[in-house]
Amino acid sequence: MNKKFFKLSLTLNVIFALVAVGFSLIFYFYSTQVYEGESFLNFLFYVKTFFDLLAVFVGYTTIIYAFSQFDFKNGLLSIGVFSISFLISFVFQVVGSIIDNTGEFTVDFFVYVIYYSFGQGFITQMVPALVLALITYKLTKNGTQRIKSFFSWTNSIQKVMLVGTLVIFGLNLISHTGFTMLPNLITELNDYGSITHDHLTAIIVSYVEICVFYLVMQYTVYYFMYKIYHGFVLNSSNKKETI
């Protein structure tokens, strides 16, 4: 086991999770105030989303690196490291929901918030993490090659990154279409008989957001975080040999 790698990955996962919580708090407090400036609120939303996903994708890269460079046992340990980030997000959601609904707080409400927050987080974060771990294990169990370019389908590591990106992108695309876009579209067609220009624009923007965050950003984070992890591990090994 590379203890230095797991110390670094745990530190980064915790830091990024806390930063994501911080920006979520900023967005929440600003959105509850009476300010003129919807553009700035939209900007804060994108910043919050960026750091939310950055925390998740850094955790996923930890899993990719551990399963591809270490043995299966250490791969499982990397899932535990990511779970710390997931638990931070979970606790924040529970506390935030309680604070936001203090007037309605009951034991039943508390239990509901715990089950709902954990279930939602497990489906949206832990299930993809487990799928990514399986993909990495299957595609890299016969060895890995050094990364030489930004994209390469023949490189087993980058194939994992590409397949993982496409799978998680596809899941979010299906989820957004089935649970958000279509219900809203059907409601508007029932109410008005046609779709408005603003609604059409919102639909297009929502799909652009998914492409930017879950295609471009996701793969980019995988690539550069993997390089950072690998450089750190190689540097640690060289120092150990020198000593």
Side-chain angles (χ1 to χ4, degrees):
M1 180 180 74
N2 192 305
K3 292 182 179 180
K4 289 186 177 181
F5 164 75
F6 282 107
K7 286 181 180 178
L8 173 66
S9 61
L10 178 60
T11 301
L12 290 178
N13 274 268
V14 170
I15 288 174
F16 282 116
L18 292 176
V19 169
V21 168
F23 277 101
S24 294
L25 287 171
I26 292 172
F27 175 76
Y28 170 76
F29 286 122
Y30 187 90
S31 65
T32 57
Q33 304 302 313
V34 181
Y35 288 121
E36 291 184 5
E38 186 178 345
S39 297
F40 184 66
L41 187 61
N42 289 334
F43 169 74
L44 282 180
F45 171 77
Y46 285 119
V47 171
K48 179 189 83 70
T49 303
F50 173 83
F51 282 102
D52 283 345
L53 292 176
L54 182 61
V56 173
F57 295 153
V58 168
Y60 289 173
T61 313
T62 303
I63 293 171
I64 292 173
Y65 191 85
F67 270 96
S68 62
Q69 296 299 321
F70 307 130
D71 57 21
F72 186 76
K73 181 180 178 180
N74 284 285
L76 293 178
L77 185 59
S78 70
I79 296 177
V81 170
F82 174 67
S83 297
I84 303 297
S85 175
F86 163 70
L87 288 174
I88 291 173
S89 174
F90 163 68
V91 170
F92 169 71
Q93 286 186 36
V94 172
V95 173
S97 297
I98 292 172
I99 293 174
D100 200 33
N101 296 274
T102 51
E104 303 174 10
F105 181 78
T106 62
V107 174
D108 289 341
F109 175 75
F110 179 65
V111 173
Y112 165 77
V113 168
I114 290 178
Y115 275 102
Y116 176 80
S117 299
F118 185 84
Q120 182 190 46
F122 189 84
I123 292 172
T124 59
Q125 294 186 36
M126 289 305 300
V127 170
L130 295 174
V131 171
L132 195 56
L134 179 62
I135 292 172
T136 307
Y137 177 72
K138 290 290 185 181
L139 294 182
T140 63
K141 62 182 179 181
N142 295 323
T144 60
Q145 307 88 41
R146 186 167 65 89
I147 292 178
K148 298 179 180 178
S149 59
F150 190 65
F151 288 108
S152 176
W153 186 253
T154 58
N155 186 297
S156 58
I157 294 294
Q158 289 173 285
K159 185 183 288 188
V160 168
M161 295 178 184
L162 288 167
V163 172
T165 296
L166 292 174
V167 168
I168 294 173
F169 166 74
L171 291 174
N172 280 276
L173 193 66
I174 293 170
S175 174
H176 174 72
T177 302
F179 296 106
T180 303
M181 193 277 288
L182 285 179
N184 290 341
L185 182 61
I186 292 171
T187 299
E188 180 153 348
L189 290 175
N190 288 334
D191 292 342
Y192 303 104
S194 62
I195 182 172
T196 64
H197 178 269
D198 289 342
H199 193 179
L200 179 61
T201 301
I203 290 174
I204 294 172
V205 169
S206 70
Y207 281 106
V208 171
E209 290 170 357
I210 291 173
C211 290
V212 171
F213 284 125
Y214 289 98
L215 277 180
V216 179
M217 178 184 172
Q218 184 180 181
Y219 183 83
T220 302
V221 172
Y222 289 162
Y223 177 82
F224 284 106
M225 278 305 305
Y226 183 91
K227 299 279 281 186
I228 290 170
Y229 277 148
H230 198 56
F232 175 81
V233 171
L234 288 178
N235 187 50
S236 298
S237 300
N238 290 336
K239 283 183 178 180
K240 197 175 291 185
E241 290 177 5
T242 302
I243 294 172

